[in-house]
Amino acid sequence: MRHTLLIESCAQGVLVVNGQFCGPMEREGQAFPVGRNAEVYVQMFPFGADKAPLTAAMILRDGQIARLEPQENAFALLWPDGVIQLELRMPGQSDAPVQETENAHGTLLRYLSLRLAGDPQAARLWLRAQDEANTPDLSAYHAAVPMRFAPPDAPERYDDRAGLVRRAAPNVATVDAALAITSPAGQGRRLLERIDILKT
């Protein structure tokens, strides 16, 4: 399976990938096809005489990131739908604000966020009591994030989905797909009946 590399940066500038000029860095980022085994060299030239350019190297082996440098300026998320999201932070740029997942819609996302935060009320709020013993182990995960699409190899249709982030390196993380079947609980709420986690 080929991957899609989505390169993003908060800084305005021009982008060069593997020696090819790719134009200005847009707000939505730029997307490129990439193989399971590839070497990608990215250069970002920010506008302004006082801003230094950035060069990043990403080595893919069997669809996984074997190397991503520099660790303090290049960050990657591997999504279950084959997208590799590469965020470039220019030297001196402060960390981007963390997205608030608590306000995101979705029963599963709220439940996973509460579980990862250690909230003892999570199971009673979102899961049927008789299914509490079947909840997945979340000890390997660091965060829950909104997921755009279910992975193509999901075995059936699910009512709710979210991403579970596990860190592989200080600047590389993988998003596993958490998929759930839900049932109505009245007053517009739904309870989780079954959760499956598909690893990326």
Side-chain angles (χ1 to χ4, degrees), residues 137-185:
D137 178 22
L138 301 182
S139 60
Y141 296 102
H142 301 86
V145 295
M147 194 167 66
R148 297 161 299 187
F149 308 106
D153 56 348
E156 60 181 282
R157 187 172 179 174
Y158 293 86
D159 302 314
D160 212 346
R161 60 181 176 258
L164 284 168
V165 179
R166 56 187 161 91
R167 200 171 295 281
N171 62 334
V172 177
T174 298
V175 181
D176 291 337
L179 307 169
I181 294 174
T182 67
S183 61

Side-chain angles (χ1 to χ4, degrees), residues 12-199:
Q12 297 290 318
V14 293
L15 186 67
V16 174
V17 178
N18 284 351
Q20 297 293 315
F21 177 72
C22 299
M25 175 60 76
E26 302 293 337
R27 191 178 185 94
E28 304 83 24
Q30 291 198 35
F32 305 89
V34 64
R36 290 180 61 80
N37 296 290
E39 295 183 6
V40 182
Y41 300 96
V42 178
Q43 291 178 293
M44 176 70 177
F45 296 92
F47 298 134
D50 59 334
K51 298 177 182 172
L54 172 67
T55 300
M58 185 179 73
I59 311 300
L60 287 176
R61 294 291 175 256
D62 198 26
Q64 300 298 312
I65 296 179
R67 187 176 121 215
L68 178 60
E69 295 177 347
Q71 285 194 2
E72 62 275 11
N73 299 105
F75 302 85
L77 271 180
L78 284 80
W79 291 86
D81 55 5
V83 173
I84 300 172
Q85 187 176 0
L86 176 63
E87 180 188 345
L88 302 176
R89 296 184 192 168
M90 307 311 292
Q93 178 184 331
S94 62
D95 288 350
V98 176
Q99 183 177 3
E100 287 290 337
T101 57
E102 290 291 335
N103 297 328
H105 297 291
T107 303
L108 181 61
L109 182 59
R110 290 193 297 269
Y111 167 73
L112 293 172
S113 298
L114 289 169
R115 280 277 308 276
L116 288 167
D119 192 323
Q121 300 295 318
R124 274 182 265 170
L125 284 171
W126 308 116
L127 196 70
R128 294 190 319 181
Q130 61 266 36
D131 295 325
E132 189 173 350
N134 298 324
T135 57
D137 178 22
L138 301 182
S139 60
Y141 296 102
H142 301 86
V145 295
M147 194 167 66
R148 297 161 299 187
F149 308 106
D153 56 348
E156 60 181 282
R157 187 172 179 174
Y158 293 86
D159 302 314
D160 212 346
R161 60 181 176 258
L164 284 168
V165 179
R166 56 187 161 91
R167 200 171 295 281
N171 62 334
V172 177
T174 298
V175 181
D176 291 337
L179 307 169
I181 294 174
T182 67
S183 61
Q187 299 181 346
R189 293 183 55 186
R190 299 185 73 88
L191 294 181
L192 298 169
E193 292 191 17
R194 185 176 123 207
I195 302 172
D196 291 326
I197 295 178
L198 300 181
K199 296 207 170 193

